[in-house]
Amino acid sequence: MKTIYKGDSRYEKIYEQMQLLGIQDVSSPRQVKNGTIVWRLPILSDKRNTYLEYAAFASGYVRNQGVDCHSNWQINKRVMSDYEYYPDYEWCDQAQKSIKTGKFNRFRSKRCVKIPIEIDRLEYMMKYVIKNEFIKRANYVQEGKFVPKWKHEYELNKAWSDGHGGNNDISVIVNGHKYKVI
């Protein structure tokens, strides 16, 4: 942590967890001045060769930093909003415009719950990151969705040494369907 939180046990606990997991504070001086803390995880993106990052903002939001997608998104809890009412309109050919019908449409959506206290944001972010990044990715191995690089290279070398490499008759099975690799 770039900011020192001496004597606050909650901050010390979060800092210790981050050190154990290899999570680094990569906030710029401007971000720190604005109350933003950016954390870099020791996990490479699935889509790009960059590390995943999460940020906690003074506004109360916690977001991923958009490394694996085109934009970042809030990871805050979502709750149903209160009902909102919008006037109903109907097209009027005579007036050549939409006019109010006197009825109203009721609309309800989900909204993010802001987390106003910094330590609460950091604790929430740590729980989210551990569950959705560290544990989820660890389960990839158990579920067979992840093949280590050494195993992949071993299978390729084995195929080549078995004589399949020169014949171009290597095939793979994906979801029960056999495909020939050209």
Side-chain angles (χ1 to χ4, degrees), residues 11-30:
Y11 280 105
E12 289 173 5
K13 182 179 176 185
I14 293 292
Y15 182 63
E16 179 183 11
Q17 289 173 348
M18 290 182 174
Q19 284 182 318
L20 289 170
L21 294 171
I23 299 173
Q24 301 173 353
D25 181 348
V26 293
S27 309
S28 69
R30 184 181 184 109

Side-chain angles (χ1 to χ4, degrees), residues 29-41:
R30 184 181 184 109
Q31 288 170 322
V32 171
K33 181 181 174 188
N34 292 334
T36 301
I37 303 173
V38 180
W39 302 102
R40 179 170 293 150
L41 309 183

Side-chain angles (χ1 to χ4, degrees), residues 139-162:
N139 287 336
Y140 284 170
V141 176
Q142 183 179 357
E143 295 167 358
K145 295 178 183 176
F146 173 79
V147 178
K149 184 178 177 183
W150 66 267
K151 187 172 183 180
H152 172 70
E153 290 172 350
Y154 171 78
E155 294 295 332
L156 282 178
N157 289 335
K158 185 178 171 191
W160 280 100
S161 65
D162 289 346

Side-chain angles (χ1 to χ4, degrees), residues 102-179:
K103 298 178 185 176
F104 286 86
N105 295 312
R106 186 168 77 166
F107 178 76
R108 192 174 186 193
S109 65
K110 288 188 175 183
R111 64 174 178 81
C112 289
V113 177
K114 292 182 180 183
I115 307 169
I117 302 170
E118 181 184 49
I119 186 61
D120 293 337
R121 287 192 299 273
L122 295 178
E123 285 179 337
Y124 180 81
M125 184 189 69
M126 277 301 296
K127 288 176 186 175
Y128 181 92
V129 164
I130 289 170
K131 177 184 174 193
N132 294 287
E133 298 296 351
F134 286 93
I135 293 174
K136 180 177 84 174
R137 291 172 192 275
N139 287 336
Y140 284 170
V141 176
Q142 183 179 357
E143 295 167 358
K145 295 178 183 176
F146 173 79
V147 178
K149 184 178 177 183
W150 66 267
K151 187 172 183 180
H152 172 70
E153 290 172 350
Y154 171 78
E155 294 295 332
L156 282 178
N157 289 335
K158 185 178 171 191
W160 280 100
S161 65
D162 289 346
H164 296 291
N167 298 335
N168 289 334
D169 60 353
I170 298 174
S171 60
V172 293
I173 298 174
V174 179
N175 293 333
H177 299 289
K178 189 173 183 178
Y179 298 94

Side-chain angles (χ1 to χ4, degrees), residues 43-150:
I43 299 172
L44 280 173
S45 162
D46 290 338
K47 298 176 183 150
R48 299 183 186 144
N49 198 24
T50 55
Y51 289 99
L52 299 179
E53 293 181 354
Y54 282 81
F57 297 85
S59 64
Y61 290 111
V62 181
R63 298 182 179 127
N64 85 328
Q65 288 302 93
V67 174
D68 259 354
C69 60
H70 66 281
S71 65
N72 58 5
W73 69 86
Q74 288 129 358
I75 63 172
N76 297 54
K77 288 182 182 178
R78 308 275 196 291
V79 296
M80 291 304 292
S81 67
D82 293 333
Y83 285 106
E84 298 177 42
Y85 296 90
Y86 299 96
D88 187 46
Y89 288 88
E90 191 174 85
W91 180 257
C92 177
D93 287 329
Q94 187 177 13
Q96 289 296 305
K97 65 177 184 176
S98 293
I99 57 171
K100 292 181 182 178
T101 64
K103 298 178 185 176
F104 286 86
N105 295 312
R106 186 168 77 166
F107 178 76
R108 192 174 186 193
S109 65
K110 288 188 175 183
R111 64 174 178 81
C112 289
V113 177
K114 292 182 180 183
I115 307 169
I117 302 170
E118 181 184 49
I119 186 61
D120 293 337
R121 287 192 299 273
L122 295 178
E123 285 179 337
Y124 180 81
M125 184 189 69
M126 277 301 296
K127 288 176 186 175
Y128 181 92
V129 164
I130 289 170
K131 177 184 174 193
N132 294 287
E133 298 296 351
F134 286 93
I135 293 174
K136 180 177 84 174
R137 291 172 192 275
N139 287 336
Y140 284 170
V141 176
Q142 183 179 357
E143 295 167 358
K145 295 178 183 176
F146 173 79
V147 178
K149 184 178 177 183
W150 66 267

